[in-house]
């Protein structure tokens, strides 16, 4: 049996690797080919195209990478035509994967879409359009499952794989061991800086986060800062930005969950990391900023979406502050962090609200359920 997996950004690459592992546990003979990055490659899949550098924010930033992606897409179509797959699993990355879905459908390959295009706009027509060429949608969020079911698309609510990933980390680590690993003082406040996993986020957001850190250091002399390096490709850019500020930052690779575990509060880019932070019940300030031209274009498509951060979207109300575009200023971030650090009742209320998110994401065993669904469908095809 041969399966094709297509992922996009860092989180998609990680989820793709988890799915490959779960499928192999049930059927060790499966062969995998993929569009993916480091994690998918480490899981043993044959990489047909490396999507590590494709991820971007907004229409105009995406245009800069369009020639590279188009060339990769043309090569990929030739490779897929030559290889015979039993099924394809597309994970997130709709800008690329929806084009790919049309080609795969016309080639007669059954398609399963895990992490389908967003349901937050409740766009029924788009859900119907997406579902036309799919065997089934595998939805990690209840909202996605409800939307695609309403659109008449076969859908399976799997739950979110973070439920298992973070549960596994919690069993292996604790606050003091994580502080020791990161060389941080457990008796002093720790601020986690999460600028994101894309080049544009490092360019637009990281300087703002670091300046907010300088302001915090002026008020809290014993405060500590720690930052996860989401990708090796970003390491040099991140360290170069940090060197431009009067701030000592512990920047480390492969330690996201340890950083979330030890942080007193977070300044965090909108994205999957906000959901991870919510599962650790961490007070956070969510920030989002792109180029002015990109934002002017994006605002039209964001109409009807109430919030930018997943915690607020899932709970349907503002639980943690969101600072978008021109509001994402160091002084405003500083003010919000001071509240978390000095108003204990406020911080406790936020933590209690975030505690309500975990039950919304399904029960443990997510990837096993997804693997079961795919293999059972193929065995009965």
């Amino acid at each position: 049996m041969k399966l094709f997996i297509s992922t996009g950004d860092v989180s998609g690459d990680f989820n793709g690797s988890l799915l490959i592992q779960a499928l192999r546990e049930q059927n060790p003979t499966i062969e995998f080919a993929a569009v993916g990055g480091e994690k998918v490659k480490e899981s043993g899949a044959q990489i047909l195209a490396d999507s590590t550098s494709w991820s971007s924010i907004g229409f105009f930033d995406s245009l800069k990478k369009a020639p590279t992606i188009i060339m990769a897409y043309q090569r990929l179509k030739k490779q897929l035509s030559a290889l015979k797959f039993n099924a394809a699993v597309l994970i997130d990355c709709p800008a690329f994967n929806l084009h790919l879905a049309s080609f795969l459908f016309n080639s007669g390959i059954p398609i399963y879409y895990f992490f389908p295009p967003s349901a937050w706009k409740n766009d029924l027509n788009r859900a119907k359009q997406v579902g036309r060429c799919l065997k089934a949608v595998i939805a990690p969020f209840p909202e996605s499952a409800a939307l695609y079911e309403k659109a008449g698309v076969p859908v399976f609510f799997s739950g979110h794989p973070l439920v298992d990933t973070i549960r596994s980390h919690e069993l292996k680590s604790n606050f003091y061991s994580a502080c020791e690993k990161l060389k941080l003082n457990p008796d002093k406040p720790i601020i986690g800086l999460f600028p994101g996993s894309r080049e544009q986020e490092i360019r637009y957001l990281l300087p703002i986060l670091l300046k907010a850190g300088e302001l915090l250091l002026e008020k809290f002399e014993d405060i500590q800062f720690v930052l996860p390096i989401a990708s090796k490709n970003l390491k040099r850019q991140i360290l170069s930005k940090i060197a431009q500020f009067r701030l000592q930052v512990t920047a480390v690779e492969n330690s996201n969950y340890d950083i979330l575990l030890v942080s007193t509060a977070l300044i965090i880019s909108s994205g999957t990391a906000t959901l991870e932070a919510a599962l650790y019940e961490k007070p956070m300030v969510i920030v989002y900023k792109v180029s002015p031209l990109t934002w002017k274009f994006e605002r039209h498509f964001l109409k009807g979406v109430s919030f930018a951060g997943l915690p607020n979207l899932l709970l349907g109300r503002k639980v943690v502050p969101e600072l978008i575009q021109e509001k994402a200023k160091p002084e405003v971030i500083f003010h919000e962090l001071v509240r978390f650090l000095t108003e204990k009742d406020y911080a406790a209320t936020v933590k209690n609200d975030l505690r309500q998110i975990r039950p919304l994401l399904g029960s443990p065993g997510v990837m096993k359920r997804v693997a079961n669904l795919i293999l059972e469908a193929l065995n009965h095809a």
Side-chain angles (χ1 to χ4, degrees):
M1 183 182 293
K2 289 185 178 180
L3 293 182
F4 171 70
I5 311 282
S6 180
T7 73
D9 60 11
V10 172
S11 60
D13 182 49
F14 180 66
N15 286 324
S17 70
L18 293 179
L19 179 57
I20 290 171
Q21 291 169 29
L23 287 163
R24 275 224 169 96
E25 285 176 5
Q26 298 188 43
N27 186 343
T29 65
I30 299 177
E31 297 178 32
F32 294 94
V35 172
E38 296 172 13
K39 295 294 184 182
V40 166
K41 185 176 181 180
E42 288 170 6
S43 69
Q46 176 191 358
I47 299 296
L48 301 181
D50 187 341
S51 60
T52 304
S53 62
W54 293 359
S55 186
S56 58
I57 305 174
F59 177 75
F60 292 101
D61 287 321
S62 299
L63 279 180
K64 299 173 185 176
K65 299 189 177 183
T68 300
I69 297 173
I70 290 171
M71 288 178 62
Y73 178 61
Q74 296 302 329
R75 287 195 302 269
L76 182 63
K77 287 198 295 183
K78 292 178 181 178
Q79 291 171 304
L80 292 174
S81 297
L83 298 168
K84 302 297 181 182
F85 292 101
N86 298 89
V89 182
L90 311 181
I91 301 177
D92 204 0
C93 196
F96 180 79
N97 277 335
L98 288 179
H99 289 288
L100 191 57
S102 296
F103 171 78
L104 293 168
F105 177 74
N106 291 330
S107 301
I109 299 173
I111 306 164
Y112 299 86
Y113 209 130
F114 191 23
F115 285 81
S118 175
W120 308 116
K121 287 185 71 172
N122 200 30
D123 191 336
L124 193 62
N125 288 331
R126 190 186 187 210
K128 289 178 181 178
Q129 188 175 6
V130 169
R132 284 174 187 165
C133 58
L134 303 180
K135 190 76 172 177
V137 160
I138 304 170
F141 298 114
E143 289 80 3
S144 297
L147 176 66
Y148 282 95
E149 183 177 16
K150 188 177 180 182
V153 179
V155 61
F156 172 75
F157 172 59
S158 61
H160 202 292
L162 282 178
V163 170
D164 293 304
T165 307
I166 289 178
R167 182 167 174 261
S168 174
H169 178 259
E170 289 172 335
L171 293 172
K172 293 186 294 186
S173 189
N174 62 65
F175 175 80
Y176 291 101
S177 66
C179 282
E180 183 178 0
K181 178 181 174 183
L182 296 168
K183 296 181 173 57
L184 296 169
N185 188 332
D187 299 320
K188 295 179 179 180
I190 301 167
I191 301 299
L193 305 177
F194 282 72
S197 60
R198 299 176 176 92
E199 183 184 333
Q200 295 94 331
E201 291 172 315
I202 305 305
R203 188 191 320 149
Y204 293 116
L205 282 181
L206 184 53
I208 296 171
L209 271 59
L210 293 169
K211 181 59 182 177
E214 286 185 338
L215 296 175
L216 286 165
L217 189 61
E218 290 175 8
K219 185 174 178 66
F220 306 97
E221 293 182 358
D222 62 346
I223 202 164
Q224 304 167 93
F225 297 92
V226 60
L227 182 153
I229 298 175
S231 169
K232 292 178 181 178
N233 296 334
L234 298 174
K235 185 174 182 178
R236 181 180 295 181
Q237 186 183 1
I238 289 171
L239 296 180
S240 175
K241 293 286 185 187
I242 292 173
Q244 298 171 26
F245 290 81
R246 298 175 290 103
L247 201 65
Q248 185 172 340
V249 180
T250 300
V252 289
E253 298 178 60
N254 304 317
S255 296
N256 284 36
Y257 293 158
D258 283 330
I259 293 173
L260 288 172
L261 178 61
V262 304
S263 292
T264 312
L266 309 165
I267 313 173
I268 190 165
S269 171
S270 175
T272 302
T274 64
L275 184 57
E276 293 171 323
L279 291 174
Y280 279 96
E281 300 167 13
K282 295 296 178 176
M284 71 188 91
V285 179
I286 298 173
V287 292
Y288 180 81
K289 189 170 185 179
V290 291
S291 69
L293 192 59
T294 295
W295 179 243
K296 187 175 182 179
F297 182 82
E298 274 190 0
R299 290 180 68 176
H300 171 74
F301 293 97
L302 292 174
K303 288 179 180 178
V305 180
S306 304
F307 302 104
L310 284 169
N312 294 336
L313 282 166
L314 283 164
L315 294 174
R317 55 194 173 91
K318 184 180 176 182
V319 172
V320 295
E322 296 183 356
L323 303 175
I324 311 301
Q325 205 59 14
E326 67 275 359
K327 293 181 181 179
K329 296 178 180 178
E331 298 80 8
V332 185
I333 296 171
F334 164 76
H335 171 74
E336 296 289 355
L337 261 294
V338 169
R339 286 196 67 194
F340 285 138
L341 295 171
T342 60
E343 299 178 25
K344 291 185 178 180
D345 288 346
Y346 171 55
T349 298
V350 169
K351 290 179 181 180
N352 187 59
D353 287 340
L354 293 174
R355 197 168 296 134
Q356 300 172 36
I357 289 178
R358 191 174 294 226
L360 301 176
L361 301 181
S363 58
V366 173
M367 283 305 186
K368 185 176 181 180
R369 288 196 292 274
V370 175
N372 277 339
L373 170 74
I374 295 169
L375 291 177
E376 284 181 14
L378 291 176
N379 289 334
H380 290 87

